[in-house]
Amino acid sequence: MPHMQMRDLKENYVVSKETLKGSMNQKKSSPQMMIKSGDRFEDGKKVLGRINGRRRGRGYKVDRFQDGKLEPSMGSTPCKSLMFHTRPGYGQLGTKCIVKANHFLAEIPGSDLSHYNVEINPEVASRKLDKAIMTELVKLYRNSDLGTKLPVYDGRKNLYTAGSLPFTSKVFNVILADEDEETGNVRKRDFEVTIKFVAVASMAQLRNLLSGKQVDTPQGALNIIDTVLRELAAQRYLSVGRFLYSPTIRKPQALGGGVESWRGFYQSIRPTQMGLSLNIDMSTIAFIEPLPVIDFVAQILGKDVYSRPMSDADRVKVKKALRGVKVEVTHRGNVRRKYRVSGLTTQPTRELIFPLDEHMNMKSVVEYFQEMYGYTIRYAHLPCLQVGNEKKVNYLPMEACKIVEGQRYTKGLNEKQITSLLKVSCQRPHEQELDILQTVQQNDYDHDPYAKEFGINISSKLASIEARVLPAPWVIIELKYSDTGKEKEYLPQVGQWNMMNKKVINGSTVRYWACINFSRSVQESTAHGFCQELVQMCQISGMEFDRDPVIPIYSARPDQVKKALKYVYHAAANKLEGKELELLIAILPDNNGSLYGDLKRICETDLGLISQCCLTKHVFKISRQYLANLSLKINVKMGGRNTVLLDALSWRIPLVSDIPTIIFGADVTHPESGEDSSPSIAAVVASQDWPEVTKYAGLVCAQPHRQELIQDLYKTWQDPQRGTVAGGMIRELLLAFKKATGQKPLRIIFYRDGVSEGQFYQVLLYELDAIRKACASLEPTYQPPVTFIVVQKRHHTRLFANNHNDRSSTDKSGNILPGTVVDSKICHPTEFDFYLCSHAGIQGTSRPAHYHVLWDENNFTADEIQSLTNNLCYTYARCTRSVSVVPPAYYAHLAAYRARFYIEPEGSETTKSRCARTSNGSSVRPLPALKDKVKNVMFYC
């Protein structure tokens, strides 16, 4: 096997599990991985921690892996660092073209910068107040004690200057008037501010990195430049993480329900091959509309509240919507005190009384506002807002309050609001490009006093980059025509092809199927007609599909899903006499709540039954395109193949076709913000056919809340009879590959989704170790070479055609052509990464996927890995288009999303009895196991 000689595989280097006990999600880290509280994980730019007390260049000290056993790096044992894979060269394949990127070249200062620590006493919890204190300090002392320096402050503990201040440590006194958030009272407060020198941030090391030398990323210098360029914008706009928003960028658009859209932008400094780059991208998010509170309430409830009293249910809804929202009073003329809403009264305003003084003299709210402010309350039938703290509750009539502008809406948007937000934010590429250029123009970096102070210059032009359009692969759709018996090859055009009146390459067989109708509006005859149309389409597409169901179509109520599934499953089993039902078609209401999730959980973890759900609206309006798409999904769920790459069947895929190769995809999905206890879900899929690489089996597991490292890739446990038992998702999928193909994989390609740049090291160290251990658990000397690639979609690089009017360089949506790849200029100075836009745009501006090859023992060239990744994007089973992310990563995401339906409700008897502990000691409830019939097919499609 010539590939094995490329690298000495007898000694591979991986980190030990003990080294990783201090995982990124634990509050405490072990002595072996000391991640300090000052270490940063912002936008993927991480200050390296220390392992075993020693800093390790661009990598970490690792243990040695030999003959399937971990050998600690001790004594005279040679020690290596786990280094990210360096770029093996640049790709040459494809048609060359020029594209533009939303990156702007930044010229950096030649002199070093200084970093100071800031301590403010008494401490304040508000970053905004911290900023105000430091702004006042600079105003008072800039021309004296600060030596005319104009520093920038990050709102926490860090102050930066160009050059040095005239002191190493100094204490300043600042008096500031600020507003109490609970009471709205303005008060004067004294603060003592200590500024102390920390370190000099050298620009030389940053210049070395940008020139292509392999050095530690000088994170301190990058953080300073990032903070400097954000300072003026943060004063003008509202900061939300790394984004800045303002109603002046574009007029806010109402989304309904008291919510509106605000336009903003993302800004981040990045080291790239062309030098330091400022990445700017547009963004739109939801804010609370600054309405009078009574109008906001009317929008929330969608009804008249001006003349009718509020029901208890409405009051609860309004209380939930308003809790934590900041309001200002409007009944006192120019006095606009601000308060934060803590609750809502249970009584209407007209019934509310409160003590005026400690003698408990009572007065009604209506009388108080009339006597104190001359204000007549008009809507006394409505409850009052409660503001302030528990000790001193203030009542404010809704009509006398207005919502303060600039409050982000953090609760979940409904379907209508999401649709409106997408419509507002969706922009054609040329519109997005213009917005970005206008943002750079508005930010006016040439006249930014902070940028001038630090000697930073920003180009006003988008980066122009040489790109390449990779050729689309030939795909085989139908293996045989009934009349010719010849293979049929198709060359996709602009990332897509048509399956109408064509057959899949390997049609599956469905002999025993049934249908349950959960929709009250669908009559039995309509359901029967739909099923017959679907069966016919499956037959046309090349599947063997029995025309009639095993039992007549069964109608059931949505709240009887478990009962209905059990009845149909057992009724079919009784009729089949020993054979099992293979497929369930389920007709669901358009708004089905938890029905879909419950059905999938019961079918896949209890009954071992493949299901295909269809919404009522599609049953009534039968579309041939819809039926064709359903037939593609059903075929792969039942074990068939839709398309195969011609190069796969011709044994021509480099570093895949030569020896048995398994391709993994892995992803972790986390609970939505606000869910503090739900587990994260990890999913791993792996190809089960070679050389075709189109079928992917999937496994899922629950793990601790917000844990990114996949815990169950490899695991061992003690069995009373068998002793130490090895298992885990990698091991199980390797065995499944051997069973399906008759061969063990001799090469592993691992696409890992959902990892930010700040987590690259820990994910690679932990998960590469797990892969190695899983292989060694099968045979001590079994160590196939591994290529580990991180896939990112949540980045902010956008690529635009050089000439939007040149129709030959864009697709129908105006986006760059599918297959466009960039591996120069805006990519990392030394590491192996590339941007690939593998799909044709439909609407809006396409987002290329960012692939980062962290580890490569297979020695892929740039052309080989880019071409393989692009070609795989044409094998996605659910549609006849190339997709934006490599399918194994896409499938892993789908499987993880599906598994969220398997989480059992809190407090159920099964959850109490099935609570388990992970390797780091935290408890998590295991997911119910997938049935064998399910996990070996693409059930998640």
Side-chain angles (χ1 to χ4, degrees), residues 80-272:
K80 291 187 180 181
S81 292
L82 179 61
M83 308 286 286
F84 286 166
H85 193 65
T86 55
R87 192 176 300 280
Y90 295 92
Q92 302 299 320
L93 185 66
T95 305
K96 291 185 178 179
C97 63
I98 300 296
V99 297
K100 292 176 286 186
N102 57 339
H103 286 244
F104 299 84
L105 185 62
E107 293 180 18
I108 57 175
S111 58
D112 292 340
L113 309 178
S114 298
H115 176 199
Y116 294 84
N117 182 67
V118 174
E119 279 191 22
I120 299 175
N121 286 308
E123 283 189 28
V124 290
S126 166
R127 191 174 176 186
K128 183 180 177 182
L129 183 54
D130 278 340
K131 280 263 193 184
I133 293 165
M134 292 306 297
T135 300
E136 184 68 15
L137 186 149
V138 172
K139 182 179 172 184
L140 292 171
Y141 299 105
R142 181 183 176 187
N143 293 321
S144 53
D145 299 68
L146 299 181
T148 72
K149 298 288 183 188
L150 180 62
V152 293
Y153 173 58
D154 71 352
R156 295 185 182 95
K157 294 283 186 181
N158 305 296
L159 186 81
Y160 306 116
T161 60
S164 301
L165 293 172
F167 56 83
T168 55
S169 181
K170 196 173 184 69
V171 179
F172 297 87
N173 291 307
V174 176
I175 300 173
L176 190 74
D178 75 304
E179 188 179 89
D180 189 308
E181 280 204 353
E182 290 185 347
T183 64
N185 296 326
V186 178
R187 55 190 176 174
K188 284 191 174 182
R189 299 174 66 186
D190 292 338
F191 296 96
E192 184 181 271
V193 182
T194 304
I195 299 176
K196 189 182 291 186
F197 175 75
V198 175
V200 170
S202 171
M203 291 293 106
Q205 193 173 355
L206 179 55
R207 291 185 186 280
N208 286 338
L209 175 68
L210 298 175
S211 67
K213 294 179 182 176
Q214 281 192 284
V215 296
D216 279 0
T217 300
Q219 194 62 49
L222 287 173
N223 286 338
I224 294 173
I225 294 168
D226 207 34
T227 305
V228 169
L229 292 173
R230 286 179 63 84
E231 182 65 24
L232 188 61
Q235 293 173 17
R236 293 175 177 170
Y237 307 125
L238 181 72
S239 292
V240 179
R242 300 189 73 77
F243 296 83
L244 296 141
Y245 296 93
S246 171
T248 62
I249 295 176
R250 186 196 288 174
K251 185 181 177 182
Q253 301 289 313
L255 304 178
V259 180
E260 64 182 12
S261 67
W262 276 30
R263 191 69 165 161
F265 62 94
Y266 167 93
Q267 176 177 297
S268 175
I269 206 81
R270 299 180 65 82
T272 65

Side-chain angles (χ1 to χ4, degrees), residues 661-667 683-690 692-700 713 728-738 740-741 745 747-751 887-893 895 935-940:
T661 299
I662 187 169
I663 301 180
F664 284 93
D667 190 22
V684 180
V685 303
S687 58
Q688 299 295 294
D689 54 345
W690 177 82
E692 297 93 341
V693 289
T694 58
K695 294 183 178 181
Y696 290 82
L699 296 172
V700 292
L713 287 181
M729 294 192 284
I730 295 290
R731 190 178 194 276
E732 190 170 337
L733 289 167
L734 288 171
L735 289 170
F737 180 95
K738 174 86 180 289
T741 65
R747 180 186 291 119
I748 293 175
I749 300 171
F750 196 94
Y751 286 99
Y890 206 145
Y891 294 146
H893 176 78
K935 66 184 178 184
N936 292 323
V937 295
M938 298 168 73
F939 67 93
Y940 43 79

Side-chain angles (χ1 to χ4, degrees), residues 257 292-306 318:
V293 169
I294 194 167
D295 294 343
F296 177 80
V297 169
Q299 285 209 27
I300 286 288
L301 298 178
K303 62 172 74 169
D304 171 32
V305 297
Y306 306 97
V318 170

Side-chain angles (χ1 to χ4, degrees), residues 311-585:
S311 68
D312 287 343
D314 286 345
R315 195 185 64 80
V316 170
K317 189 175 180 180
V318 170
K319 181 181 177 181
K320 188 178 178 182
L322 282 172
R323 182 180 286 153
V325 174
K326 196 179 284 187
V327 298
E328 60 184 5
V329 295
T330 58
H331 64 285
R332 298 181 60 183
N334 293 327
V335 179
R336 290 285 182 120
R337 282 193 174 177
K338 296 175 183 177
Y339 303 87
R340 196 172 294 279
V341 178
S342 59
L344 211 62
T345 62
T346 53
Q347 299 166 285
T349 303
R350 59 176 169 242
E351 296 176 15
L352 285 174
I353 57 173
F354 65 97
L356 271 177
D357 49 39
E358 63 272 12
H359 302 296
M360 300 301 287
N361 293 314
M362 308 301 286
K363 185 173 281 290
S364 75
V365 170
V366 173
E367 289 174 343
Y368 178 81
F369 271 79
Q370 184 66 57
E371 294 172 10
M372 191 73 178
Y373 307 113
Y375 184 85
T376 303
I377 296 174
R378 296 170 57 198
Y379 305 107
H381 62 282
L382 294 175
C384 272
L385 303 180
Q386 290 179 327
V387 299
N389 53 39
E390 291 181 3
K391 293 179 182 177
K392 186 181 179 183
V393 177
N394 289 332
Y395 298 133
L396 292 176
M398 288 184 182
E399 65 197 79
C401 298
K402 181 176 182 286
I403 291 171
V404 174
E405 186 181 58
Q407 298 180 78
R408 186 184 174 193
Y409 185 75
T410 56
K411 299 176 177 69
L413 296 173
N414 61 39
E415 195 171 327
K416 186 178 177 182
Q417 289 169 331
I418 292 170
T419 302
S420 300
L421 185 61
L422 288 173
K423 189 176 179 180
V424 168
S425 60
C426 182
Q427 284 186 301
R428 293 287 189 182
H430 69 276
E431 297 170 340
Q432 181 100 328
E433 182 183 327
L434 278 176
D435 265 14
I436 291 168
L437 288 169
Q438 284 174 6
T439 299
V440 172
Q441 192 176 7
Q442 286 171 358
N443 289 348
D444 195 13
Y445 297 105
D446 288 343
H447 297 96
D448 182 335
Y450 299 99
K452 271 190 175 182
E453 171 83 8
F454 284 76
I456 302 170
N457 294 308
I458 304 296
S459 170
S460 59
K461 294 181 179 179
L462 292 160
S464 184
I465 310 157
E466 188 176 274
R468 291 168 291 114
V469 180
L470 300 176
W474 287 83
V475 298
I476 301 178
I477 295 177
E478 47 194 7
L479 188 59
K480 290 183 178 179
Y481 272 127
S482 58
D483 53 347
T484 64
K486 293 180 180 177
E487 292 184 354
K488 190 66 178 177
E489 301 158 10
Y490 289 88
L491 182 64
Q493 300 298 315
V494 197
Q496 55 189 312
W497 61 98
N498 196 330
M499 279 290 291
M500 291 302 289
N501 301 318
K502 300 180 181 72
K503 295 181 180 179
V504 296
I505 186 169
N506 295 128
S508 58
T509 300
V510 179
R511 301 207 182 281
Y512 312 119
W513 63 277
C515 175
I516 302 180
N517 176 18
F518 288 102
S519 176
R520 292 179 182 175
S521 57
V522 177
Q523 300 297 319
E524 185 177 339
S525 58
T526 306
H528 183 267
F530 172 78
C531 287
Q532 291 306 303
E533 292 277 357
L534 178 57
V535 167
Q536 187 178 8
M537 180 59 74
C538 289
Q539 291 169 342
I540 291 170
S541 69
M543 295 174 62
E544 289 186 33
F545 206 120
D546 271 28
R547 186 169 184 81
D548 297 316
V550 174
I551 60 173
I553 293 174
Y554 183 75
S555 294
R557 287 173 21 206
D559 59 352
Q560 298 288 320
V561 57
K562 188 171 185 177
K563 182 180 177 182
L565 288 170
K566 291 284 179 76
Y567 170 79
V568 168
Y569 182 80
H570 292 300
N574 290 337
K575 189 167 183 181
L576 292 171
E577 298 178 349
K579 297 183 176 116
E580 291 187 337
L581 195 63
E582 296 169 340
L583 175 68
L584 174 73
I585 296 170

